[in-house]
Amino acid sequence: MISNTDLKYLRRCVELARTALVKGDQPFGSVLVSGDDTVLAEDHNHVASGDHTQHPEFYLARWAAANMIPEERSKATVYTSGEHCPMCAAAHGWVGLGRIVYASSSKQLVKWLGEIGVPPSRVRNLAIEDVIRDTVVEGPVPELEEEMRQLHRQYYAKG
């Protein structure tokens, strides 16, 4: 169940996604929050550089591996504007991070992009649960759906 605290962090993710968009990048943003509700790290997409591994969720997984012990990682939550791609879900699982909460799903993104004529990605969209086991995953969040849809429309409208 999505709490008011979850919504607060998800709204920050949407702000980070907007920052990525303003910088010419795809609109994705993520926040890593400790088990005691402290923001540890955050990032937005950096794939406009040409390196399509520069997703914020992947960055947070690497940050957690370098800066947290396994017990801390398992109690942390990753909040993100969009559901993890398979690469990011695998990184999350390998590092042993805890709960994932996302604003919009991969399924929604595929639908939105299809509506505006964007061809499918080379990498298959899989639900997080199809990539990693034993992780609490919550999303999408209806309150943020339209805002995320509009950010993606804006990104592809500029091209």
Side-chain angles (χ1 to χ4, degrees):
M1 176 149 178
I2 302 298
S3 69
N4 287 332
T5 299
D6 294 332
L7 278 172
K8 173 182 82 169
Y9 292 127
L10 286 172
R11 285 190 175 102
R12 175 63 184 148
C13 293
V14 173
E15 288 174 22
L16 290 164
R18 187 171 283 105
T19 298
L21 181 65
V22 167
K23 292 182 174 187
D25 221 317
Q26 294 175 1
F28 293 96
S30 303
V31 177
L32 177 63
V33 178
S34 70
D36 68 0
D37 202 36
T38 301
V39 173
L40 300 172
E42 61 181 32
D43 199 17
H44 59 75
N45 234 21
H46 296 278
V47 301
S49 67
D51 180 352
H52 289 272
T53 67
Q54 295 299 310
H55 296 185
E57 305 89 348
F58 199 65
Y59 166 78
L60 294 180
R62 289 190 312 268
W63 187 94
N67 294 284
M68 301 170 76
I69 62 171
E71 182 181 345
E72 292 169 329
R73 293 192 300 253
S74 71
K75 293 177 182 175
T77 299
V78 173
Y79 292 94
T80 191
S81 61
E83 183 176 11
H84 290 25
C85 73
M87 172 187 71
C88 294
H92 186 111
W94 287 123
V95 169
L97 285 164
R99 182 172 171 245
I100 300 170
V101 183
Y102 60 85
S104 60
S105 70
S106 295
K107 186 184 262 189
Q108 288 172 312
L109 181 59
V110 167
K111 179 180 177 236
W112 299 336
L113 297 183
E115 290 169 356
I116 57 176
V118 176
S121 168
R122 184 169 183 219
V123 175
R124 293 175 201 250
N125 290 305
L126 299 172
I128 294 167
E129 298 91 338
D130 290 340
V131 179
I132 56 176
R133 297 182 192 95
D134 303 330
T135 297
V136 174
V137 179
E138 297 185 65
V141 177
E143 297 96 305
L144 300 170
E145 178 179 349
E146 185 57 26
E147 192 170 1
M148 287 307 306
R149 185 171 86 63
Q150 288 304 323
L151 289 175
H152 288 287
R153 290 182 76 80
Q154 288 172 33
Y155 175 77
Y156 286 99
K158 72 174 181 60

